[in-house]
Each structure stands twice: as C-alpha cells, then as structure tokens.
Amino acid sequence: MARVALVTGGTRGIGAAISKALKAAGYKVAATYGGNDAAAEKFKAETGIPVYKWDVASFDACAAGVKQVEAEVGPVDVLVNNAGITRDTAFHKMTLQQWNEVINTNLGSLFNMTRQVIEGMRARKFGRIINISSINGQKGQFGQVNYSAAKAGDIGFTKALALENAKGGITVNVIAPGYINTEMVQAVPKDVLEKNVIPQIPVNRLGEPEEIARAVVFLAADDAGFITGSTLTVNGGQYHV
C-alpha cells in the first residue's frame, strides 16, 4: 500500500514541486494551502492531487484538517512542513503583528501540524517529518529578524524531535534551501538578482524548486532511516555550516 504524504503550502512554488515529486515517487499525496483558491484549483486540476484549505498557524484548524485528510486519504506517514510567509522590514520598524504572523506561521505551524500526526506515527513505528527551513535561518538576513528567527527555530525543533523519536522508526530532518527560482524570488528586481544575489552563489544560478523536491523524496524514503536530526543545505554552495 502506498504511503501517504501531506505537504503544507503544497500547491505553489517549492511546495507544489514537492507534492508532484512525491506523487511521481508513488506516494498518495495531499496538499494544503492558505488562501489562493485559484492557484489551488489549477494545481488540483493539473495533478489530480487533493487540496485542503486551512491556516497552519491555527492549532484547531490543523487538528480538523489533518483529521479530514486521514479520513479521506489515509493515515499520514510523511509530513512535509513547507508552508511559510514573509513580512520583511527592519527590526526597529517591525510591528508586533509582523512578528507574530511570521513566527506563528513559519515556526508555530510545525507544532500545530506535527502534533496531529506524531502519535499515529509512533503507534505504527514509522514516520518521516521533513521541515523546510531557509539559508536565512542559518546565517541571518537584513530585514528578516522575524523570518530568520522562525527558520532557525525550525532547525532546533527538528533536532530535538529527532532525538525523541529515533528509536520509534520516525526520522525528523530539515532542508535549508538557498535562493530558489520561485514567485517570491522572481519578484526581486532583475538587476538586483543579477548584481547582488546570483554573484553570491558559487554555482552562479538560482536553485530550482524541483531540486528541493528531490531532496524531500530522498529523506522521505524508507531507505533514509539512518538519517535523522540532520540539516540538508541546498544552496548552491552559498553558505556552509
């Protein structure tokens, strides 16, 4: 029987690539999204992957949403915590709302989502939890104190949860992408990308969403059972831990 994978923020950008790659690898995939109904419906029509709408920053919404997914698709074997937002500004101008929105969505969601599936994984003695962090959670970034703090927190969450569940057949790992060719990065002016961003990347190009997706498929596999608590950097050599 095919394993079930649930991908948050799984209908656009990196998340969409992850959902498609997992389906191609033989998983039964469900994808969540937060607000863009048109993009979600287009994704569903193109891929046949069922989509579910809820706010990952809400514990109650996650509880109800995961319950629906498990009833309709099956118990979750692989959870990919990918959903994330940015509210960039210099810290001395940052509002409490900008701080809370990013922390609750990019870090709080890991608790909200993982708490719904961890007991089932422990009972079945198998699970794969893969958290999507960021290069900026490793090195920091101007104007992203909220984002960098949340993404660094994702790494700490991963390491501790991996220790707690290592004996139970559950692995917990984190991927830290660099600059990936998504809508978010494409919104950066072309001259800024060419003059300021790409020259910092040793491979001299942006990453592609599919390159992150392949890393997820690798970590999700049964054969990856000896890898847990790890941070996989996929950044073209831009930053080394």
Side-chain angles (χ1 to χ4, degrees):
M1 180 177 288
R3 296 200 185 279
V4 174
L6 176 57
V7 183
T8 68
T11 65
R12 299 168 60 200
I14 291 173
I18 292 170
S19 296
K20 293 174 185 176
L22 286 168
K23 182 180 180 182
Y27 294 83
K28 293 172 65 178
V29 180
T32 82
Y33 72 103
N36 193 324
D37 294 320
E41 287 304 314
K42 181 181 179 183
F43 171 85
K44 180 181 178 180
E46 291 176 349
T47 64
I49 294 172
V51 299
Y52 298 85
K53 183 179 182 180
W54 73 76
D55 179 7
V56 293
S58 165
F59 182 86
D60 291 341
C62 291
V66 171
K67 186 175 180 180
Q68 182 182 1
V69 169
E70 295 204 320
E72 296 178 1
V73 184
V76 175
D77 301 297
V78 178
L79 173 63
V80 183
N81 287 308
N82 168 74
I85 61 171
T86 56
R87 298 289 185 268
D88 295 352
T89 188
F91 183 76
H92 65 279
K93 298 179 181 179
M94 188 175 293
T95 65
L96 179 61
Q97 181 178 353
Q98 289 171 323
W99 171 265
N100 284 338
E101 286 180 355
V102 170
I103 296 297
N104 292 341
T105 299
N106 296 10
L107 177 56
S109 64
L110 270 63
F111 176 84
N112 296 340
M113 288 296 302
T114 307
R115 188 64 185 83
Q116 315 308 326
V117 302
I118 192 68
E119 290 186 55
M121 289 179 175
R122 287 170 66 93
R124 295 188 301 274
K125 297 190 180 302
F126 180 87
R128 297 286 185 265
I129 298 165
I130 302 164
N131 302 314
I132 307 300
S133 179
S134 167
I135 187 174
N136 293 339
Q138 298 174 299
K139 72 176 186 61
Q141 178 64 286
F142 185 97
Q144 287 196 328
V145 171
N146 48 5
Y147 184 84
S148 294
K151 290 300 187 178
D154 292 347
I155 296 172
F157 176 99
T158 298
K159 291 179 178 181
L161 191 65
L163 291 174
E164 291 187 9
N165 291 278
K167 292 182 180 179
I170 300 166
T171 67
V172 191
N173 293 290
V174 60
I175 296 172
Y179 285 87
I180 307 299
N181 189 23
T182 61
E183 288 180 26
M184 186 184 300
V185 172
Q186 289 168 0
V188 176
K190 186 177 180 181
D191 63 319
V192 174
L193 280 176
E194 293 180 350
K195 293 179 182 178
N196 299 330
V197 176
I198 292 176
Q200 297 178 29
I201 305 172
V203 301
N204 200 39
R205 65 173 176 85
L206 299 174
E208 295 297 331
E210 292 76 15
E211 293 178 296
I212 306 302
R214 287 194 287 273
V216 170
V217 172
F218 166 68
L219 291 173
D222 286 24
D223 290 344
F226 201 58
I227 304 171
T228 194
S230 293
T231 302
L232 178 56
T233 58
V234 187
N235 61 31
Q238 184 177 356
Y239 184 77
H240 302 277
V241 178

